[in-house]
């Protein structure tokens, strides 16, 4: 996985799929940087959050299990290990299961996984191991995804399968399907907004040289100085659970 958001942080960082080489950037809405709210008792993201490279939830494909089309993004990962990872880390993970979020009518798989190098990794081989060894964590995960948009004035999110987690084999199958969609995306010319420029998929019409890729990086603005977080990032929100 590629880590976009370290655990306990609030900045809504994500792979910018419409930009060349797909950098990790903070999401912006109405000219303001986006942060997820702290909905009691959760502080920021409650896992290391990121995405599996070479996957794509196709917005033209209706998933046979959820009955909804994809959300046009790579498949998301909630890494549950003991370490707080760093933004941009690329880590090998062990897949344990998945949750099927329906986000504004779109399929948005949330893969539950653990870093294979985590000290606890050997103890986790299934979603049942998570339920047994981290009691309450899966329930908190459902609660987090259900309510994280409520402070923005949006309704609670819904889930396929009644919010039940599916097992490792089901999750791996979902990953395989989204990998096939990604291969179709990068393998031919298309009219989507997603930028597929790359240096490694030799059969892709979007392949470029390392020099071309370096040029894309070199024209980016230099890093600025540190800036204090807005005060509202530390605010707590309290809602009655339905």
């Amino acid at each position: 996985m590629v880590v976009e958001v370290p655990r306990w942080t609030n900045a809504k960082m994500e792979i910018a799929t419409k930009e060349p080489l797909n950098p990790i950037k903070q999401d912006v809405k109405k000219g303001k940087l986006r942060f997820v709210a702290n909905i009691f008792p959760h502080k920021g993201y409650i896992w290391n959050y990121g995405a599996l490279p070479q996957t794509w939830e196709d917005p033209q494909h209706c998933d046979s299990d959820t009955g909804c089309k994809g959300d046009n993004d790579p498949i998301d990962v909630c890494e549950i290990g003991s370490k707080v990872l760093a933004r941009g880390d690329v880590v090998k993970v062990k897949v344990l299961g998945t949750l099927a979020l329906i986000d504004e009518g779109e399929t948005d798989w949330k893969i539950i996984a653990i870093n294979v190098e985590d000290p606890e990794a050997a103890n986790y081989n299934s979603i049942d191991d998570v339920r047994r060894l981290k009691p309450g964590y899966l329930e908190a995960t459902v609660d987090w995804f259900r309510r994280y948009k409520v402070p923005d004035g949006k309704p609670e999110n819904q889930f396929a399968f009644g919010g039940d987690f599916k097992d490792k084999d089901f999750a791996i199958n979902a990953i395989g399907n989204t990998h096939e969609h990604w291969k179709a995306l990068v393998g031919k010319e298309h009219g989507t907004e997603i930028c597929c420029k790359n240096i490694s998929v030799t059969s892709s019409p979007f392949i470029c040289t390392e020099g071309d890729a370096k040029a894309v990086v070199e024209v980016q603005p230099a890093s600025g100085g540190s800036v204090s977080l807005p005060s509202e990032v530390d605010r707590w929100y309290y809602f009655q659970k339905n």
Side-chain angles (χ1 to χ4, degrees):
M1 69 176 286
V2 177
V3 178
E4 298 167 310
V5 186
R7 188 168 67 234
W8 311 137
T9 63
N10 297 74
K12 194 175 187 306
M13 309 293 293
E14 56 187 24
I15 294 171
T17 59
K18 298 176 183 178
E19 298 192 19
L21 305 183
N22 307 145
I24 298 173
K25 299 182 70 173
Q26 189 166 0
D27 194 19
V28 176
K29 186 174 182 179
K30 296 181 179 179
K32 296 180 65 176
L33 294 173
R34 292 187 66 190
F35 298 87
V36 298
N38 303 306
I39 301 179
F40 187 82
H42 312 305
K43 171 64 177 74
Y45 286 76
I46 62 174
W47 346 256
N48 295 300
Y49 191 70
L52 287 183
Q54 298 191 357
T55 63
W56 180 52
E57 298 195 58
D58 185 350
Q60 300 302 317
H61 172 76
C62 186
D63 188 277
S64 60
D65 292 303
T66 67
C68 297
K69 295 181 179 181
D71 72 347
N72 203 31
D73 281 324
I75 204 167
D76 297 318
V77 184
C78 302
E79 194 281 326
I80 65 166
S82 60
K83 298 180 179 180
V84 176
L85 302 176
R87 182 174 299 115
D89 278 354
V90 179
V91 296
K92 185 177 180 179
V93 296
K94 184 191 299 186
V95 174
L96 304 172
T98 189
L99 178 68
L101 176 66
I102 305 301
D103 190 349
E104 299 184 27
E106 297 175 332
T107 300
D108 191 1
W109 295 107
K110 306 298 180 184
I111 302 297
I112 308 300
I114 189 167
N115 181 359
V116 298
E117 296 184 359
D118 192 274
E120 299 177 351
N123 298 325
Y124 292 86
N125 296 288
S126 70
I127 200 70
D128 288 335
D129 288 338
V130 182
R131 188 172 287 109
R132 177 173 56 87
L133 296 171
K134 293 182 182 287
Y137 202 8
L138 295 180
E139 292 81 0
T141 295
V142 172
D143 183 61
W144 195 97
F145 281 117
R146 187 187 305 279
R147 299 194 292 155
Y148 82 101
K149 290 187 176 181
V150 173
D152 294 329
K154 294 185 177 181
E156 292 185 350
N157 279 322
Q158 304 300 312
F159 302 89
F161 316 114
D164 291 337
F165 287 82
K166 306 302 282 186
D167 65 16
K168 174 174 64 177
D169 290 341
F170 190 102
I172 290 173
N173 183 67
I175 293 167
N177 289 338
T178 58
H179 177 61
E180 292 301 317
H181 295 155
W182 171 83
K183 287 200 296 185
L185 177 71
V186 300
K188 62 181 180 181
E189 295 285 353
H190 53 76
T192 74
E193 295 179 313
I194 293 180
C195 183
C196 296
K197 183 187 290 287
N198 71 87
I199 63 170
S200 60
V201 185
T202 56
S203 60
S204 171
F206 307 101
I207 194 165
C208 67
T209 66
E210 291 189 10
D212 292 336
K214 184 178 180 181
V216 170
V217 175
E218 289 178 342
V219 297
Q220 301 306 308
S223 298
S226 60
V227 178
S228 299
L229 292 174
S231 58
E232 68 246 31
V233 174
D234 292 325
R235 177 182 173 185
W236 286 98
Y237 291 83
Y238 300 84
F239 298 101
Q240 187 72 37
K241 291 186 180 181
N242 295 330

